[in-house]
Amino acid sequence: MRVNRILLSSALVVVALVLQVSVLSRLHLPGAVPDLLLLTVLGLAMVYGHVGGALVGFGAGLLADLAPPADHAAGRYALVLCVIGYLAGLIKPDNGRLKSATGPMVVVVVAAVGATLLYASVGALVGDTAARHVGLGSLLFTAALYDLLLAPFVVPGIMALARRAENDPLADTNSQAKKADISSGWLSGGTGLRIGGQRGGLGGLKMKARTARTARAGRIKGVKRL
């Protein structure tokens, strides 16, 4: 990933995780908790593509696994967000720009349901049966509902920031300046063809000068004979 992608993704993931832990998880809403981290990964994945989405999802999930008050095995949420980020990146819109709000809202609902199911499935494999006691049906419904209500305020802004970082005019100026420096260095250093051309040009000038001197000497000699 590019440096600007890494910096922006890291900052957004950290901010989303802090808000998730300190604000959203303390609302004590019935059922699931609004997943701001999931929405952040979705927004970045739909601009960066499947590879970038998978990397961002894995890093965000691993950070959530290690951040307190995590009460599950490390790597569990990293796997979930890695898969979700990869799949969301596969449906990346052209140029990272949304043509309508319907598609992203469907993606948010599917991602919320899929993340909850995948998280519960991985938990069942490692012996975590908390989802059974809470009720998987209510978790799926509330997760989709909360994320759908929160998505219009998060996903478009995340995508706009990611697109702006991708099209950074300062980065374009620097890259153009580097290209100009390389080209000027190439021209000043020269190549074999350029040197050969220059030598050929100098040789032609010398030949013309010799021809002119010879012709002038001939004219002078003719005058003297007369």
Side-chain angles (χ1 to χ4, degrees):
M1 295 179 70
R2 300 176 183 176
V3 176
N4 54 350
R5 286 188 178 186
I6 296 175
L7 294 177
L8 178 63
S9 302
S10 302
L12 292 176
V13 165
V14 170
V15 171
L17 182 61
V18 171
L19 293 176
Q20 180 84 29
V21 174
S22 61
V23 178
L24 296 179
S25 61
R26 298 178 183 274
L27 295 178
H28 301 293
L29 297 173
V33 176
D35 200 338
L36 183 60
L37 201 59
L38 173 65
L39 298 178
T40 303
V41 172
L42 290 178
L44 293 173
M46 286 191 286
V47 176
Y48 296 157
H50 58 283
V51 176
L55 293 175
V56 172
F58 179 80
L62 186 60
L63 189 62
D65 288 332
L66 299 177
D71 56 352
H72 54 269
R76 182 176 169 185
Y77 202 47
L79 174 62
V80 173
L81 289 186
C82 181
V83 173
I84 295 298
Y86 180 85
L87 296 177
L90 292 176
I91 55 175
K92 168 188 172 183
D94 296 336
N95 299 324
R97 297 182 179 274
L98 299 176
K99 296 181 179 179
S100 66
T102 304
M105 293 301 102
V106 173
V107 172
V108 168
V109 173
V110 174
V113 174
T116 304
L117 287 175
L118 185 58
Y119 186 82
S121 300
V122 175
L125 292 176
V126 297
D128 185 2
T129 59
R132 297 179 182 178
H133 301 290
V134 176
L136 185 59
S138 63
L139 280 179
L140 293 176
F141 176 76
T142 53
L145 178 62
Y146 297 154
D147 291 349
L148 186 61
L149 294 175
L150 189 60
F153 305 99
V154 177
V155 176
I158 296 293
M159 295 184 68
L161 289 174
R163 287 197 307 268
R164 186 172 182 179
E166 286 290 283
N167 302 321
D168 189 0
L170 294 178
D172 295 340
T173 303
N174 292 334
S175 62
Q176 291 176 0
K178 289 180 180 179
K179 290 179 181 179
D181 293 340
I182 293 173
S183 61
S184 61
W186 174 265
L187 293 175
S188 62
T191 61
L193 294 175
R194 184 175 176 82
I195 293 174
Q198 289 176 347
R199 288 177 179 174
L202 292 175
L205 293 175
K206 290 180 179 179
M207 288 295 296
K208 290 180 180 179
R210 289 176 182 175
T211 304
R213 286 197 298 269
T214 303
R216 185 169 56 187
R219 287 195 299 269
I220 293 173
K221 288 180 180 180
V223 171
K224 287 181 178 180
R225 289 176 183 177
L226 294 174

